[in-house]
Amino acid sequence: MSRFPARVPGSGPCPGFPPVSRAPARVPVPAHVPVSRPCPGFPPVSRAPARVPGSGPCPGFRPMSRVPARVPGSGREVAAASAPAFLAPPPAAAAGPGRGCGAPLARGGAMEPVPGRRWQKVLYERQPFPDNYVDQRFLEELRKNVHARQYRYQAVVFQSGAVVQQLCSVCVFVLTWWYMDAGMLSPQGLFGAALVSSLLGYVLFDAVDGGAGRWASGRTRWADLKSTLVFAAFTYGFSPVLKTLTESISTDTIYAMSALMLLGHLIFFDYGANAAIVSSTLSLNMAIFASVCLASRLPRSLHAFVMVTFAMQIFALWPMLQKKLKARTPRCYVGVTVLFALAALAGLATVSSVGAVLFASLLLAISCLCPYCLIRLQLLKDNIHGPWDEAEIKEDLSRFLM
Amino acid sequence: MAPGSAQGAPAAGRSGPGMQGGGPAAHIVCMVSDFFYPNMGGVESHVYQLSQCLIERGHKVLVVTHAYGHRKGVRYLSSGLKVYYLPLKVMYNQSTATTLFHSLPLLRYIFVRERVTIVHAHSSFSAMAHDALFHAKTMGLRTVFTDHSLFGFADVSSVLTNKLLTVSLCDTNHIICVSYTSKENTVLRAALDPRIVSVIPNAVDPTDFTPDPSRRDDSTITIVVVSRLVYRKGIDLLSGIIPELCQKYPELHFLVGGEGPKRIILEEVRERYQLHDRVRLLGGLEHQDVRNVLVQGHIFLNTSLTEAFCMAIVEAASCGLQVVSTRVGGIPEVLPENLIILCEPSVKSLCDGLEKAIAQLRSGTLPSPETVHKEVKTFYTWRNVAERTEKVYDRVADEVVLPMKERLDRLMAHCGPVTGCIFAFFAVLNFLLLVFLRWMTPDSIIDVAIDATGPKGAWTKQYFLGKKRRAKEELADS
């Protein structure tokens, strides 16, 4: 907390404020007193940087506490010379001119001002200070940027990997569909490749943490196999239905809907932020919906089956593996992300070079430029806290109802 | 702009006969708030009690609020307090809609008819209060505003409300807050000069809240909670405290007064732990019943998460209960340390505080309800509040109301380039509307209302004693 010795509480009316009581009307208006003004949000004062009015106190406002009550340089008692009487400590206020709020509360005679008595922040005691008295302890409990975090650039770039990965997943998915639609990729080939990579991923998933996660969840391999078989069988059985499901809908609508759904998937995906908008269920459902839409435009029902299975793998299973890789082997995760991004870019380049360039710049912006902006803007954060904030209940109270 | 003729001759009153002579002139104060009886709450009783005490001190006071159902038009309350229930549309939570303009014709009529000199608006939630401030400044009347609540700075809604408050208060003559914490909050929210903000606490009527130890059952220990059952009052914390303590102390009983959306979780807790005989939920309480509930308990528990002043703990302490409360907002300023046990807003800390209170109760080290009452009743009285508010009025009466040009400059300099200009434009429009209204119905042809309040008012016993004597007096006066 820096000190602004020249900043004396209440040592002069704020700019733009007319003389507020009779006192300053008699005393020459203290514009010549070489002090700055203590008002928050008032027109910029000499030493504090300019600040949007109303956005909070000036940075120099808090140091009002423990500032000497004497104007440096002028050598005069602030209260007697310049300030309206109501700001002065009791004895000076009594001597000050004028009646009204300027006179201390004690005017009734019940409370004699006690020289040297300290002001207390209590309401139950009648204190020998006027009601609008501003003590040096005013706003001393103000805290700034309590929850602000200092980020390191590298850490933010690392965390942005999740976004890059998900963008690439969507890109790869759409590319696969494109190849299948153009007949450049056979469904059998894709199914084989997806199966092999899934098996690899399955082994890796357990190998990364030495089976600790599986042990904790208590799930058997038999259960995994069962759900895989059930899913595959049902998708295969229903793929003719999927194929003909959207026949009556125009292709443009399908494309628009898929694009919207994939965008929704990206928006609601759980990137690790603790926000209300995050919903991994919704996100996954939107991606699957998009895949069903796109699959229905492929030539045969086997295509549709393979497409939906592939969507499951890339939108449901792949992020799970990523999360584990990120937690256990960060270096490996960075490598995988870069490789995945390069693969997606290469694939995109075969379809559209302009698209590839744009996508590359998007990825770069997200992983390099955005973290930089975040860190720069973090410096401008001006969040104030104090006893007036609503208390937060930090405990989990639902246990009492279980 | 020239001040309206509305602020013509100030009525005699405070310096009238029977009062201490030579005092300053009485004020004609118009209290404006969306919240007034028959609605119940802290602001409502504050406005009413303050008005009554100001009338007692010789001022003329009137209250302006919006119509509540069938209650509309003009009503007189005790000692001639005149209440205008204006036909304005209620939008949300008993607050009227604001367009900044539509209420001008009505309010101007009232201000002129009653010869109002000071407009005193209450509560930052009340749109009508802000409207009235805006119009009063256009008409050149002095303005005072009392803020009753605390606000955060973090979310979008607070950012917007705080901006509006900045606009509303930047040219208001004086602001009153109910606690020092509230003052800090308001000064920060509205970017004010702290010297135009006074702290005048709320009060309770100590004769309404007297202890009655015979009403409580000393074979058990009863913890009383009286509050609205909403999230901000920390009812979730209460739902954790009840099972925790009931398991530990078999003779402990809870008495909960109040209604609200969180009642359901208290009922769930009661069901889950089979506490039907020990946790009584009384539902909503009328104000006059609160004391009868309070005196049945030994300990009062307040679990609020935010509170500007908290009348409830003063009422409870006045009834002689040991108070256990969360340390939030202005609560630490309200009662001295020997009367309150302050805790952090968590189940554990509150349970510790309650256990401390129970231990003191069992060992008999708590002061008797009578001694506590005697101590508390000196803390907060409405007469004191009125006396201090009067000082604010005296001060404000000496100030100049900003002329139009300065007001526009202030708005534009103080409220940011965008908001400031928008509201400066509104101020100009408001002024033009006022000029138009003055042309339509000049101030001179608006009747002056009969002064019903105060010692010289029409609402005195003399009126009922007989009109003859009154007529004689009038003759003598002239």
Side-chain angles (χ1 to χ4, degrees), chain A residues 12 16 18 20 40 42 53 87 101 121-124 126 131-133 139 387-388 390-391 395 397 400 402, chain B residues 153 183-185 192 195 199 231 236 244 272-273 305 329 333-334 336 346-347 378-379 388 395 399 410 414:
Chain A
V20 275
F42 270 74
L87 244 190
C101 245
K121 195 179 175 180
V122 294
L123 296 165
Y124 49 84
R126 313 270 157 85
D131 284 330
N132 61 347
Y133 174 73
L139 285 180
W388 50 80
E390 187 173 308
E395 301 151 279
L397 295 171
F400 291 109
M402 287 213 263
Chain B
F153 297 90
K183 172 171 175 173
E184 293 179 348
N185 185 237
L192 292 168
R195 289 166 295 158
V199 175
Y231 173 78
D236 301 70
E244 199 87 342
R272 169 75 183 72
Y273 293 89
L305 302 179
E333 305 164 24
V334 173
S346 70
V347 172
T378 58
F379 291 162
R388 291 158 78 171
R395 179 185 167 196
E399 290 177 16
R410 172 78 64 82
H414 196 77

Side-chain angles (χ1 to χ4, degrees), chain A residues 397 400-401, chain B residues 234-243 265-266 269 273:
Chain A
L397 295 171
F400 291 109
L401 287 174
Chain B
I235 302 304
D236 301 70
L237 290 174
L238 183 62
S239 76
I241 294 165
I242 290 177
I265 59 166
L266 294 184
V269 162
Y273 293 89

Side-chain angles (χ1 to χ4, degrees), chain A residues 363-384:
Chain A
L363 292 187
L364 274 179
I366 285 182
S367 58
C368 303
L369 197 63
C370 288
Y372 176 75
C373 290
L374 175 74
I375 289 170
R376 287 305 300 271
L377 291 176
Q378 193 74 7
L379 296 177
L380 303 178
K381 195 159 183 154
D382 186 16
N383 210 338
I384 47 183

Side-chain angles (χ1 to χ4, degrees), chain B residues 135-165:
Chain B
H135 302 325
K137 287 170 215 160
T138 310
M139 292 175 64
L141 303 176
R142 271 90 179 165
T143 44
V144 178
F145 177 80
T146 299
D147 200 354
H148 293 259
S149 39
L150 297 177
F151 252 95
F153 297 90
D155 50 296
V156 181
S157 77
S158 344
V159 171
L160 290 175
T161 345
N162 293 347
K163 195 72 188 171
L164 288 179
L165 194 77

Side-chain angles (χ1 to χ4, degrees), chain B residues 12-257:
Chain B
R14 226 172 358 146
S15 49
M19 312 295 289
Q20 65 271 55
H27 305 289
I28 303 179
V29 185
C30 178
M31 305 271 181
V32 189
S33 178
D34 271 319
F35 311 108
F36 194 68
Y37 297 139
N39 206 35
M40 294 304 292
V43 180
E44 288 83 347
S45 66
H46 178 102
V47 172
Y48 176 76
Q49 300 279 9
L50 178 61
S51 305
Q52 291 294 346
C53 290
L54 283 171
I55 288 174
E56 192 184 274
R57 296 183 69 82
H59 302 281
K60 175 179 165 184
V61 185
L62 53 138
V63 177
V64 175
T65 182
H66 67 256
Y68 282 88
H70 288 298
R71 188 173 297 214
K72 51 198 168 195
V74 178
R75 290 212 174 197
Y76 283 95
L77 305 183
S78 348
S79 53
L81 174 62
K82 191 177 192 178
V83 186
Y84 285 88
Y85 290 95
L86 301 187
L88 298 175
K89 189 88 186 139
V90 175
M91 284 299 282
Y92 174 70
N93 244 339
Q94 287 302 347
S95 180
T96 50
T98 174
T99 58
L100 279 183
F101 301 112
H102 71 295
S103 52
L104 177 61
L106 271 173
L107 286 175
R108 172 194 169 238
Y109 234 92
I110 295 172
F111 293 162
V112 174
R113 263 174 69 83
E114 304 283 349
R115 296 289 187 258
V116 169
T117 55
I118 293 172
V119 174
H120 188 165
H122 289 265
S123 177
S124 47
F125 289 113
S126 162
M128 191 191 234
H130 293 298
D131 268 12
L133 286 182
F134 197 68
H135 302 325
K137 287 170 215 160
T138 310
M139 292 175 64
L141 303 176
R142 271 90 179 165
T143 44
V144 178
F145 177 80
T146 299
D147 200 354
H148 293 259
S149 39
L150 297 177
F151 252 95
F153 297 90
D155 50 296
V156 181
S157 77
S158 344
V159 171
L160 290 175
T161 345
N162 293 347
K163 195 72 188 171
L164 288 179
L165 194 77
T166 315
V167 172
S168 192
L169 298 191
C170 74
D171 45 2
T172 298
N173 291 101
H174 208 93
I175 290 98
I176 298 173
C177 291
V178 291
S179 64
Y180 293 108
T181 304
S182 171
K183 172 171 175 173
E184 293 179 348
N185 185 237
T186 307
V187 165
L188 288 176
R189 277 160 62 204
L192 292 168
D193 175 2
R195 289 166 295 158
I196 63 161
V197 184
S198 287
V199 175
I200 300 176
N202 266 324
V204 294
D205 193 346
T207 53
D208 279 354
F209 293 94
T210 47
D212 185 1
S214 64
R215 291 281 300 277
R216 63 192 201 189
D217 180 3
D218 280 328
S219 62
T220 64
I221 296 174
T222 308
I223 296 178
V224 185
V225 178
V226 177
S227 92
R228 281 177 297 123
L229 304 182
V230 294
Y231 173 78
R232 282 162 70 97
K233 298 287 179 190
I235 302 304
D236 301 70
L237 290 174
L238 183 62
S239 76
I241 294 165
I242 290 177
E244 199 87 342
L245 284 182
C246 280
Q247 278 164 0
K248 230 174 182 176
Y249 298 93
E251 77 279 28
L252 197 66
H253 287 243
F254 278 89
L255 196 55
V256 182

Side-chain angles (χ1 to χ4, degrees), chain A residues 17-277:
Chain A
F17 264 81
V20 275
S21 76
R22 280 196 220 140
R26 288 186 206 165
V27 181
V29 177
H32 58 278
V33 178
V35 288
S36 49
R37 286 84 171 181
C39 313
F42 270 74
V45 282
S46 52
R47 308 206 183 165
R51 174 156 293 273
V52 185
S55 67
C58 332
F61 188 49
R62 191 166 33 148
M64 273 176 61
S65 51
R66 296 188 295 281
V67 170
R70 188 170 277 271
V71 183
S74 79
R76 277 186 294 174
E77 276 297 327
V78 179
S82 64
F86 51 81
L87 244 190
R99 184 200 58 67
C101 245
L105 201 67
R107 194 155 53 101
M111 295 151 292
E112 284 305 313
V114 184
R117 191 177 150 181
R118 264 180 71 96
W119 175 83
Q120 285 176 294
K121 195 179 175 180
V122 294
L123 296 165
Y124 49 84
E125 213 172 297
R126 313 270 157 85
Q127 302 185 56
F129 295 94
D131 284 330
N132 61 347
Y133 174 73
V134 183
D135 193 69
Q136 296 178 2
R137 287 165 61 204
F138 185 67
L139 285 180
E140 72 171 357
E141 282 177 85
L142 179 74
R143 299 281 174 274
K144 272 185 155 189
N145 297 343
V146 175
H147 304 300
R149 280 156 57 182
Q150 285 298 321
Y151 296 109
R152 279 184 25 253
Y153 183 69
Q154 284 193 335
V156 185
V157 172
F158 177 73
Q159 294 294 338
S160 73
V163 185
V164 169
Q165 282 267 13
Q166 215 50 37
L167 278 170
C168 290
S169 291
V170 170
C171 177
V172 164
F173 174 75
V174 175
L175 275 176
T176 315
W177 175 81
W178 180 281
Y179 282 134
M180 292 249 282
D181 197 39
M184 289 150 73
L185 183 67
S186 72
Q188 290 87 352
L190 175 62
F191 188 72
L195 195 67
V196 169
S197 49
S198 290
L199 282 175
L200 258 176
Y202 185 69
V203 173
L204 204 61
F205 190 74
D206 279 349
V208 166
D209 61 351
R214 173 170 294 276
W215 181 256
S217 70
R219 195 174 158 85
T220 60
R221 291 186 195 283
W222 171 237
D224 288 349
L225 186 65
K226 232 173 24 183
S227 35
T228 315
L229 283 177
V230 166
F231 176 78
F234 267 89
T235 319
Y236 190 72
F238 280 107
S239 58
V241 181
L242 292 182
K243 173 76 195 67
T244 52
L245 190 65
T246 60
E247 242 169 28
S248 59
I249 302 171
S250 108
T251 306
D252 286 344
T253 313
I254 292 291
Y255 290 163
M257 208 139 71
S258 312
L260 231 104
M261 288 296 145
L262 287 174
L263 194 68
H265 164 74
L266 288 174
I267 290 172
F268 295 112
F269 187 77
D270 179 12
Y271 298 104
N274 183 20
I277 196 173

